[in-house]
Amino acid sequence: MLFPQTNQCREIVNLDGLFQFAPNVEGDAELNDWTQALPKDAVEIAVPGSWNEQLRELHEFHGEGWYQRDFWAPAGWKGQRIRLRIGGTAGNAKVWVDGKAVGGHTGPHLPFEFDLSEFVEPGASHRLTIAVDNTLRYQSLPPGQARREEDRAGFGLGYPDVPYDFFPYGGIHRSVLLYATAMDSIENIAVETDYQETTGVVKVKLRLNGKSDGLSVKMNVDDQAVTLPVESNEVIGELTIGNVQLWSNRNPFLYTLKCELLSPDGALLDVYTLDIGVRRVEVQGDQLLLNGEPIFLKGFGKHEDFPILGKAWAPAVAVRDYDLMSWLGANSFRTSHYPYAEEMLSMADRLGFLVISETPFVSLSERVYTDDFRVQACHVIRELIQRDCNHPSVILWSLANEPYIESDAGERFFREMAETARACDSTRPIMYVAHEWPEQNRGAQHYDLLGVNKYYGWYHETGDIQGSLGKLVENLEAFHQQVKGPIMLAEFGADAVAGLHSDPPVLFSEEYQSDTIEAQYLKVRELPWVIGAHVWNFADFKTAQTINRVGGNKKGVFTRDRQPKLAARTLKRLWNDTDSDS
Ligand code: GCB
């Protein structure tokens, strides 16, 4: 599935904006058939947007929300293939057009689309209904429960009761687009790039929709072109680029790959252009190499989180975040703890940021290592890799954050996730992010490297920055022995309430946060097998209500509205003046 684009063969109608909305609290949707019309007391709500902060009474609504709006399909789309594409919801979605079911999607944050050619008449008005089910269940994505069920122990972390601290926002979080192509069209493009000496190699796998005879595909990059006959719905081509300019964070050089679908008489039926970068990422010994050179990842774990917008794709916030990360000299971030908007990755391609793309598998524990959930998890991994594999900025797949893996079932779960990822993409190393000690990480041997989250000086050795350093090294060393490959300090830091100052530095002061980050960063820079250190978190963010979070998680180096704390200036000094990328 490709990100929709407008060109001479493709047209988009953007359905973002205000939808009618009603929460389906007591099965009213089924009883009164909301696929035809929402109830009279439906309200207006913005898309993209989480529902929880738009309307006060929806703050703790973690159920099924129904969206509806009418739209016109342009008259000029007669004879075209018409698709509906939803960039991402939290959580599962079902879609109807004029009361007829067109399909559904399981799992949050990833795009899905439906062919509406049979449902939509160009030049006519139609009704679109989308139900988004963000019910927190033990084995749902995200897992959790709104209120503690009597027979269940619960995760015990707060209200709602989720096994992680970020707020489980619900809603349609990315754009809702209607787009048209010719009936014979390009459905997907998967690109793998590499190089030998100065020649770039671009392997293209193109999937087509449509069955007309005599079609051909022309692929073109940097004045090199190949034309290939269409013999099945998959066309594979290879192009080379002489004197190739490699993509890197320092020089994010992009080539344009153009793929054209041609009729037997050479007429253009469809065209899609893709920005691609030629680069190689690999793990060798204890190092992570980008284009053959060791790279050290400095940056952040982030969240998609902003007041009122919740987890909505918000271009202005993204622009600000990249501006701030560039100002500090960061070169990378992790899409903790779920896939971020595709637009964010395209910006990283252009701006030169290295991205660890993470699945939504956060805080997995023994209760989810079942056959059913494993099948679902592998499906999500395939969808994620299919979506993100063309981005040169994406250098690593992180398949989970802080799982407990102690049983054989857990070990098998992590082995099969690793095998699935490798089968989908052999060009990027895979990792997951561990915590605690190696004993809780029986899946580690199946991965190329391991991320480790460590809060010495905060949750352990509380208040003792100097005392935290030895423990940190001891713990990272234990993981290094286990994985026999590189280790990344994927999270470290301390909460700081903006404006709270203290000398000597004490917990929650800006000074304590800044000193913790500086001391630990400099310490891990001495360890040759540590290939990166990401501060937790880029910005403060909203959490479930718990007694240890006053107004959210305050480990941000920036406040939730993106104003710097003292640690921001410290990082700017550390990352700009004394630190190289390797
Ligand atoms: C972690 C989690 C992250 C939390 C963080 C914290 O280890 O990965 O999601 O927000 O700790 O601040 O407690």
Side-chain angles (χ1 to χ4, degrees), residues 165 303 337 401-402 453 455 459 491 536 541 549 553 555:
D165 71 343
H303 265 303
H337 297 308
N401 183 69
E402 295 194 351
N453 294 343
Y455 291 96
Y459 295 124
E491 291 180 20
W536 188 260
F541 58 91
R549 301 278 188 251
N553 187 310
K555 292 196 184 68

Side-chain angles (χ1 to χ4, degrees), residues 179-463:
Y179 72 99
T181 62
M183 286 310 272
D184 291 322
S185 60
I186 300 168
E187 191 186 312
N188 192 47
I189 302 172
V191 175
E192 271 184 25
T193 66
D194 202 356
Y195 60 92
Q196 262 98 48
E197 296 178 358
T198 57
T199 305
V201 182
V202 181
K203 291 186 186 153
V204 185
K205 198 191 274 181
L206 196 127
R207 225 180 32 244
L208 298 165
N209 241 315
K211 301 177 191 63
S212 304
D213 289 335
L215 302 179
S216 58
V217 165
K218 188 174 169 194
M219 300 172 184
N220 165 309
V221 69
D222 193 43
D223 295 336
Q224 297 289 309
V226 285
T227 303
L228 301 156
V230 174
E231 280 155 0
S232 69
N233 67 349
E234 195 166 273
V235 179
I236 294 177
E238 187 167 313
L239 295 139
T240 53
I241 304 173
N243 275 328
V244 66
Q245 292 233 42
L246 299 182
W247 185 98
S248 72
N249 53 309
R250 293 268 170 202
N251 179 29
F253 191 90
L254 294 170
Y255 290 93
T256 302
L257 170 72
K258 186 172 174 187
C259 296
E260 294 168 299
L261 180 64
L262 305 168
S263 72
D265 58 5
L268 185 64
L269 298 173
D270 193 14
V271 57
Y272 193 91
T273 52
L274 192 66
D275 284 343
I276 60 165
V278 180
R279 54 114 188 87
R280 188 187 298 158
V281 190
E282 61 205 315
V283 167
Q284 255 182 36
D286 279 342
Q287 291 186 315
L288 178 67
L289 305 181
L290 177 65
N291 301 332
E293 300 288 331
I295 181 89
F296 188 85
L297 303 176
K298 41 191 178 181
F300 297 98
K302 284 183 97 283
H303 265 303
E304 288 187 323
D305 173 270
F306 204 71
I308 302 176
L309 302 175
K311 292 207 172 306
W313 162 240
V317 178
V319 169
R320 176 78 174 196
D321 285 6
Y322 276 117
D323 183 47
L324 293 174
M325 287 194 287
S326 303
W327 174 58
L328 298 190
N331 64 11
S332 55
F333 65 91
R334 174 168 59 118
T335 70
S336 41
H337 297 308
Y338 38 80
Y340 291 2
E342 293 151 273
E343 294 91 326
M344 189 75 184
L345 302 180
S346 300
M347 289 179 79
D349 294 341
R350 293 188 290 270
L351 295 170
F353 275 86
L354 306 167
V355 180
I356 301 175
S357 174
E358 188 158 277
T359 67
F361 303 122
V362 48
S363 307
L364 297 183
S365 58
E366 293 295 335
R367 58 164 71 92
V368 301
Y369 299 140
T370 60
D371 290 345
D372 284 356
F373 199 70
R374 192 176 63 243
V375 170
Q376 196 193 333
C378 290
H379 181 69
V380 170
I381 289 169
R382 278 185 217 102
E383 281 193 346
L384 173 69
I385 295 181
Q386 191 275 321
R387 189 196 75 156
D388 290 354
C389 67
N390 292 332
H391 291 284
S393 58
V394 173
I395 56 159
L396 293 168
W397 304 115
S398 166
L399 301 191
N401 183 69
E402 295 194 351
Y404 280 92
I405 319 164
E406 288 168 297
S407 66
D408 288 350
E411 198 265 347
R412 177 174 174 203
F413 195 99
F414 273 75
R415 177 168 42 80
E416 290 195 14
M417 289 211 301
E419 286 166 0
T420 303
R422 289 193 205 284
C424 295
D425 180 12
S426 57
T427 70
R428 290 174 178 88
I430 56 170
M431 61 182 276
Y432 72 86
V433 179
H435 66 150
E436 305 290 353
W437 289 85
E439 301 79 80
Q440 287 86 27
N441 285 287
R442 287 193 47 206
Q445 71 273 23
H446 306 297
Y447 291 74
D448 299 303
L449 68 153
L450 211 57
V452 180
N453 294 343
K454 282 295 136 198
Y455 291 96
Y456 289 111
W458 189 256
Y459 295 124
H460 311 281
E461 315 304 308
T462 310

